[in-house]
């Protein structure tokens, strides 16, 4: 895509969305990155910090493909909502994947669980010219952690115990720092 073009049309935003999902479904990191500006910013609730620039985003995408080598976004579950005036679009999606590899990120490593997951969410996409310059993912990362087996089910006593322990640990930290 040529980032020097005039503002994107509805058709161009929809074409981007198709190319984006096709690249993810092909597990083609280079094709994903080709759709982005050099200074792209990628925010994802599964990671503590945003990725800045093509190199960091490529590393993040490779980590996802390593952890979930069968990740797939079915076309019938992907939708595009365009805002031509502001050069933005929202993609809603569902993906299916199995965690057969470790997820390695700057924040640490999540070991492979072998569990299958289904996650629905959306990404808010901003463009400069016709290249993606900033995208933010929105999905229920808590539910994803439950599906992967890292957290107990949210309707059970185990989850309530985890939440209570976290609250108490936070209060204890505050008390200890005040002393």
């Amino acid at each position: 895509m040529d980032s020097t073009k005039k503002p994107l049309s509805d058709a161009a935003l929809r074409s981007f969305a198709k190319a984006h999902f096709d690249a993810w479904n092909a597990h083609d990191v280079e094709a994903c990155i080709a759709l982005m500006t050099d200074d792209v910013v990628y925010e994802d609730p599964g990671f503590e910090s945003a990725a800045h620039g093509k190199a960091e985003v490529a590393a993040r995408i490779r980590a996802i493909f390593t952890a979930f080598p069968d990740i797939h976004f079915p076309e019938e579950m992907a939708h595009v909502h365009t805002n031509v005036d502001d050069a933005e679009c929202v993609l809603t999606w569902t993906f299916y994947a199995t965690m057969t590899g470790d997820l390695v990120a700057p924040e640490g490593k999540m070991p492979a669980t072998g569990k299958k997951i289904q996650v629905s969410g959306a990404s808010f996409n901003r463009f400069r010219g016709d290249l993606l310059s900033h995208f933010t993912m929105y999905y229920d990362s808590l539910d994803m952690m439950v599906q992967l087996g890292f957290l107990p089910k949210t309707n059970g006593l185990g989850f309530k115990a985890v939440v209570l322990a976290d609250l108490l640990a936070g209060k204890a930290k505050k008390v200890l720092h005040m002393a």
Side-chain angles (χ1 to χ4, degrees), residues 131-152:
L131 294 176
L132 182 62
S133 62
H134 192 130
F135 63 116
T136 305
M137 308 294 279
Y138 297 96
Y139 58 91
D140 188 344
S141 55
L142 176 62
D143 180 58
M144 185 173 154
M145 293 298 110
V146 170
Q147 289 183 57
L148 288 170
F150 291 116
L151 292 173

Side-chain angles (χ1 to χ4, degrees), residues 81-104:
H81 310 277
T82 64
N83 177 348
V84 173
D85 293 337
D86 293 327
E88 300 170 341
C89 72
V90 174
L91 306 177
T92 59
W93 40 262
T94 296
F95 74 76
Y96 297 90
T98 310
M99 189 180 197
T100 58
D102 295 343
L103 181 58
V104 180

Side-chain angles (χ1 to χ4, degrees), residues 47 49 60 104-108:
F47 299 93
S49 60
R60 186 80 45 96
V104 180
E107 301 86 9

